Amino acid sequence: MRGSVILMMPLLATLNACATTGDRGGDRPSDASVAAITVSVGPCFGFCPVYDVTVFEKGDVHFSGKRHTAIVGDRDRTVGAAVYGALARDLARFKPADGTTAQVECTAAISDTSSYTITWTAADGRRTVATHQHGCIGGPGKALDGVLAKLPGDLSIADWAKQTTRPGLSRG
């Protein structure tokens, strides 16, 4: 019996090396990876566009115009994974710790401008949120204003998000 066990040890080791234990994650993103980034643009004191835009990791874009936009309602388009990747890189330095909410630092801001809420949604549903007041004249918020200013063009939603004033709609 003892001799049989010793002879089977190399065989068991070989079989164990070939065995799999199910999905090891291979090319699948981890639960902590970001699956989508949403930028919500809030109202200002005037007629600023108010909308949400979500970009998914494969490059699909969902736009939802709320007020003072050329398109009021939902629209979808695809810009490609490379555009998503560029946006994720541009926003990375403003992202708070995973699962938290934080305001992007601004040394001084112009009042009565649009507010921004940037939400990174992980594949597991966990959200990380940064808030920002547009019009920052110093600090990291000034750099974020630059990223956000080019966002509509980068996502090919500039025509949808264009400021449009309609009769009968109030400011804000």
Side-chain angles (χ1 to χ4, degrees):
M1 170 89 171
R2 183 178 167 121
S4 297
V5 171
I6 292 174
L7 289 174
M8 291 187 67
M9 294 287 275
L11 177 61
L12 290 174
T14 302
L15 288 174
N16 189 42
C18 294
T20 63
T21 57
D23 184 10
R24 294 182 186 205
D27 58 353
R28 213 179 65 196
S30 71
D31 287 344
S33 70
V34 175
I37 300 170
T38 300
V39 177
S40 297
V41 183
C44 67
F45 187 67
F47 295 94
C48 300
V50 178
Y51 63 90
D52 299 330
V53 61
T54 301
V55 188
F56 299 91
E57 63 187 336
K58 292 188 181 196
D60 295 322
V61 175
H62 178 74
F63 173 88
S64 184
K66 308 291 185 193
R67 296 180 73 169
H68 311 303
T69 54
I71 299 296
V72 175
D74 297 342
R75 295 288 188 277
D76 296 297
R77 75 170 9 123
T78 300
V79 295
V83 173
Y84 171 85
L87 176 63
R89 283 188 298 279
D90 287 350
L91 292 175
R93 63 184 162 151
F94 308 106
K95 184 181 178 204
D98 284 347
T100 66
T101 298
Q103 185 170 3
V104 176
E105 185 181 334
C106 180
T107 55
I110 300 168
S111 62
D112 298 329
T113 59
S114 296
S115 60
Y116 288 83
T117 303
I118 305 163
T119 305
W120 293 263
T121 304
D124 66 359
R126 184 180 43 193
R127 294 176 182 222
T128 301
V129 179
T131 59
H132 173 64
Q133 186 69 40
H134 181 73
C136 196
I137 58 176
K142 183 175 182 178
L144 180 55
D145 277 347
V147 172
L148 296 171
K150 65 186 192 95
L151 184 74
D154 290 349
L155 299 180
S156 300
I157 61 164
D159 289 343
W160 298 345
K162 180 180 175 187
Q163 192 280 332
T164 303
T165 304
R166 291 182 177 76
L169 284 182
S170 64
R171 296 184 289 187

